Amino acid sequence: MQTEIEKLKNRLLSAGSLVILTGAGVSAESGVPTFRGAGGLWQGHNPQELATPEAFEADPFLVWEWYDWRRSIISRIQPNPAHYAIAELEKRFLEFTLITQNVDGLHAQAGSRKLIELHGSIWRVQCVECGNSSENRVVPIKILPRCSCGGLLRPGVVWFGEPLPEEALFRAFEASSNAAVMLVVGTSGVVQPAASLVLRASGAGAFVAEINPEETPLSSAVDLRLAGPAGKLMPTLL
Ligand code: OAD
């Protein structure tokens, strides 16, 4: 493991640009349950069945209850050493992009600024009628939140079956195409475009490293794997 860490550090030292792609695993050590790991179920519901426009249409209260539960967990926790190490790496590269699938806001809280939130933010809400989007940090939400136009407000996150924000997606692909090194941290890589971004970077010549305690479908496509928790491994790269 030590030689792998040294190898990656040497790559980072000579790299002109760095892209970091993160997923739920980065926040696991802060206490946010991952989507597909143990503890991912909420009251017997699979998140993949709750995070859909259809589920919200059928039962907005149930979906808000789940988001309320996630928001209350996140409001009480702090970024972990992986978030802080990523924020520190940003300061060391002129060209840097952090692409996250996480909606918890912990990267920004840790100081990351060059940040693309591909799946939106749990701290934003959007009106299903007029589309107006705004920040909302009320926890707990006791009644269904409504917009000033009267429409129902939904969490400002991307759900299964919905397109990703176009501009964010464009910037993510552009950054991946230009990366000298890409770090893929704490994502199962099974939800697009995570996998495509990794393949884009690798296809354009980037050195790609994966940091994850488990193997993923991306593992065979990367140049180097650090098997372990992000909170322990990311600070060793500084
Ligand atoms: P997943 O729950 O699919 O995967 C979490 C990954 O983190 C797994 O590969 C774990 O092995 C890894 N992991 C667990 N603990 C870790 C640790 N301490 N350090 C590093 N890695 C760790 O989460 P995502 O890949 O983020 O989308 O899932 C992608 C998207 O699917 C999410 O953004 C969400 C979900 O449905 C939406 O909500 C739209």
Side-chain angles (χ1 to χ4, degrees):
M1 171 73 86
Q2 206 50 40
T3 36
E4 300 295 276
I5 292 175
E6 287 309 316
K7 199 169 156 191
L8 183 51
K9 278 168 81 169
N10 285 335
R11 283 282 176 169
L12 287 170
L13 280 174
S14 60
S17 57
L18 174 63
V19 170
I20 303 183
L21 170 67
T22 65
V26 163
S27 296
E29 288 157 83
S30 291
V32 186
T34 59
F35 287 86
R36 291 166 187 82
L41 286 189
W42 171 74
Q43 296 186 2
H45 294 280
N46 182 336
Q48 292 173 73
E49 282 154 21
L50 291 174
T52 69
E54 293 77 21
F56 188 72
E57 207 172 308
D59 193 345
F61 194 80
L62 177 72
V63 173
W64 259 119
E65 248 191 313
W66 177 54
Y67 275 98
D68 210 21
W69 173 71
R70 287 185 74 89
R71 282 161 58 115
S72 61
I73 293 176
I74 296 164
S75 69
R76 288 193 302 265
I77 61 175
Q78 298 298 323
N80 67 57
H83 295 106
Y84 289 116
I86 290 169
E88 180 56 34
L89 280 169
E90 174 176 328
K91 297 186 196 147
R92 302 188 184 184
F93 286 83
L94 272 180
E95 266 188 64
F96 177 94
T97 308
L98 170 58
I99 306 169
T100 188
Q101 299 165 89
N102 298 345
V103 297
D104 53 35
L106 291 177
H107 280 304
Q109 205 178 318
S112 286
R113 293 293 169 262
K114 294 178 178 170
L115 170 64
I116 301 176
E117 291 182 313
L118 274 183
H119 290 167
S121 164
I122 204 163
W123 301 114
R124 294 194 74 78
V125 290
Q126 191 178 4
C127 177
V128 296
E129 299 296 335
C130 71
N132 192 35
S133 160
S134 58
E135 192 178 275
N136 175 311
R137 289 185 174 264
V138 179
V139 175
I141 286 186
K142 291 196 181 110
I143 50 168
L144 283 180
R146 291 204 173 264
C147 176
S148 52
C149 81
L152 208 50
L153 290 171
R154 58 165 274 179
V157 302
V158 178
W159 283 332
F160 289 104
E162 292 185 323
L164 298 187
E166 224 169 89
E167 200 236 326
L169 192 57
F170 177 80
R171 287 196 293 130
F173 271 104
E174 198 174 49
S176 303
S177 306
N178 295 320
V181 174
M182 177 186 257
L183 305 181
V184 186
V185 193
T187 177
S188 59
V190 298
V191 174
Q192 290 294 356
S196 312
L197 291 168
V198 174
L199 297 180
R200 170 69 69 92
S202 163
F207 182 86
V208 182
E210 180 180 56
I211 292 93
N212 196 314
E214 309 283 338
E215 284 207 13
T216 74
L218 297 173
S219 302
S220 56
V222 302
D223 299 296
L224 183 147
R225 252 185 64 71
L226 295 181
K232 185 171 154 243
L233 292 174
M234 290 307 290
T236 66
L237 299 179
L238 292 175

